[in-house]
Amino acid sequence: MQAIEKPGAKAVRRSPRIPKEVAILLIGSDARGKDFVEKTKTVVLSRHGAGIVSTHKLGVEQELIAIQEECKREAEIRVVGEIGSQDGFYTYGVAFLDPDIDFWGIQFDSPPDAGASESRMALQCTMCGRREAINPDALESDIYAIHDGLLRDCKQCHRSTLWKQSSGDVPGNLDLPEAAAVSAEPPSQLEPVAPPKAHENRRKHTRVKVNFNGRVRNRSLEEDIVVCENISRGGLCFKSSRSYQKTAAIEVAAPYAPGSPDFPVSARIVYVQELPEEKMFRYGVQYLHTVNDGRSSTPLSAL
């Protein structure tokens, strides 16, 4: 869907968009809390996110995991907003939680007017008046243009609210990666505050609830079909009737389906919980080989 652009939208873009379809696996929960694993695609790419298609209704600020099916790169994403819908398919703008990730492996040209001060955008919560400064991506600019605002979590209202562009200027000395925390009382201008820690109040890697099988092998290559409960970029949690020692080295492939190709990866047990009523054990697993540029050895097979 072609976004209707408002004056000044280009001035706040951090990177251009590239129309491109990339096959991805989307793992997460829909707006009703139902877990899903969906084969889908992108419709447009940017350095900091993408436009993706889904048959599921997703909520703003919702976090999911996206995996490129061809190269198995994995990234944590959040839903910025809905771009459009047609015939049961929804198109969403999503942003990477890690702003420095090179997920697409594509060189994006910087827009000629992407100055540091011009790239910031001052937004104000329409409910409580709280103001924050963000560095919007191209897709966020499009979503703002379509809906005349952005739905964002407000720390003052403790829920998602509509944010509109503030008339106040963004100070040149405000140096925050995503937002500036300010007083609930609308000040005459945005005041710089101490930057929050990256991904504050979040786990190191976002965990997504799942319900599918995985295959585990120990050093003796004994095969164990397990039930996976959640998955993240750094590991997963599964239940099994077999007993494994903490720190045990294993290989794990998930999702797993008999007859389908899978990609096992080296991992180790970092957490063990006995479930006597179920006669099972719950295990936390950490992958041993992940890298920082978005490529991951996380085993992800086609469903």
Side-chain angles (χ1 to χ4, degrees):
M1 175 177 292
Q2 182 67 34
I4 301 173
E5 195 162 285
K6 291 191 173 185
K10 289 183 179 180
V12 296
R13 288 182 176 164
R14 286 187 289 168
S15 71
R17 297 156 305 183
I18 299 178
K20 187 177 179 64
E21 289 190 4
V22 176
I24 61 172
L25 197 67
L26 198 61
I27 302 176
S29 303
D30 62 19
R32 297 182 178 180
K34 184 178 180 180
D35 301 332
F36 68 88
V37 179
E38 179 183 21
K39 281 186 175 182
T40 184
K41 64 181 180 179
T42 66
V43 291
V44 64
L45 311 180
S46 80
R47 181 184 290 115
H48 306 285
I52 64 170
V53 177
S54 177
T55 58
H56 298 273
K57 190 67 175 176
L58 304 177
V60 175
E61 294 290 307
Q62 194 169 344
E63 297 179 2
L64 307 99
I65 292 177
I67 305 103
Q68 290 191 57
E69 290 211 73
E70 183 176 351
C71 64
K72 304 305 174 187
R73 286 182 181 176
E74 180 180 345
E76 297 157 341
I77 60 175
R78 67 176 177 86
V79 178
V80 177
E82 183 179 320
I83 299 175
S85 63
Q86 186 175 6
D87 299 329
F89 290 90
Y90 302 93
T91 303
Y92 298 99
V94 300
F96 299 125
L97 293 188
D98 180 358
D100 299 320
I101 192 172
D102 180 18
F103 186 63
W104 305 118
I106 296 174
Q107 183 66 40
F108 290 90
D109 296 329
S110 297
D113 51 2
S117 62
E118 293 179 347
S119 66
R120 292 189 182 90
M121 182 179 183
L123 294 179
Q124 185 168 16
C125 174
T126 57
M127 296 295 294
C128 69
R130 178 187 179 88
R131 294 205 288 171
E132 294 182 356
I134 67 169
N135 294 324
D137 190 19
L139 293 164
E140 288 177 303
S141 300
D142 284 347
I143 292 168
Y144 187 97
I146 293 168
H147 300 287
D148 193 25
L150 288 174
L151 283 174
R152 294 170 52 84
D153 277 347
C154 179
K155 295 178 182 178
Q156 182 68 27
C157 299
H158 303 290
R159 62 188 178 91
S160 292
T161 58
L162 179 65
W163 293 65
K164 289 181 176 288
Q165 192 162 5
S166 171
S167 58
D169 295 331
V170 182
N173 61 349
L174 182 62
D175 186 19
L176 300 182
E178 291 213 4
V182 296
S183 154
E185 292 297 324
S188 58
Q189 65 175 10
L190 286 171
E191 298 178 357
V193 296
K197 295 180 180 179
H199 306 313
E200 192 172 8
N201 298 325
R202 284 180 176 150
R203 296 180 183 271
K204 183 178 180 181
H205 298 296
T206 302
R207 293 184 182 182
V208 176
K209 291 181 180 180
V210 296
N211 183 20
F212 50 62
N213 289 337
R215 179 173 59 80
V216 172
R217 286 180 177 173
N218 56 19
R219 290 186 179 274
S220 62
L221 298 182
E222 294 179 342
E223 188 172 277
D224 183 15
I225 306 302
V226 303
V227 177
C228 298
E229 295 185 318
N230 65 59
I231 190 170
S232 77
R233 191 176 169 201
L236 57 81
C237 176
F238 69 82
K239 289 167 62 174
S240 171
S241 59
R242 294 192 185 181
S243 176
Y244 296 96
Q245 296 297 317
K246 188 175 179 180
T247 74
I250 61 172
E251 284 189 347
V252 59
Y256 170 77
S260 298
D262 59 70
F263 302 90
V265 65
S266 298
R268 66 184 176 94
I269 305 289
V270 295
Y271 171 80
V272 180
Q273 178 188 12
E274 187 174 1
L275 306 172
E277 293 184 358
E278 301 180 43
K279 296 182 179 180
M280 298 186 76
F281 298 86
R282 176 177 286 117
Y283 298 99
V285 172
Q286 181 182 38
Y287 301 134
L288 297 182
H289 304 294
T290 57
V291 292
N292 295 326
D293 65 353
R295 294 189 297 268
S296 172
S297 60
T298 306
L300 292 152
S301 60
L303 295 181

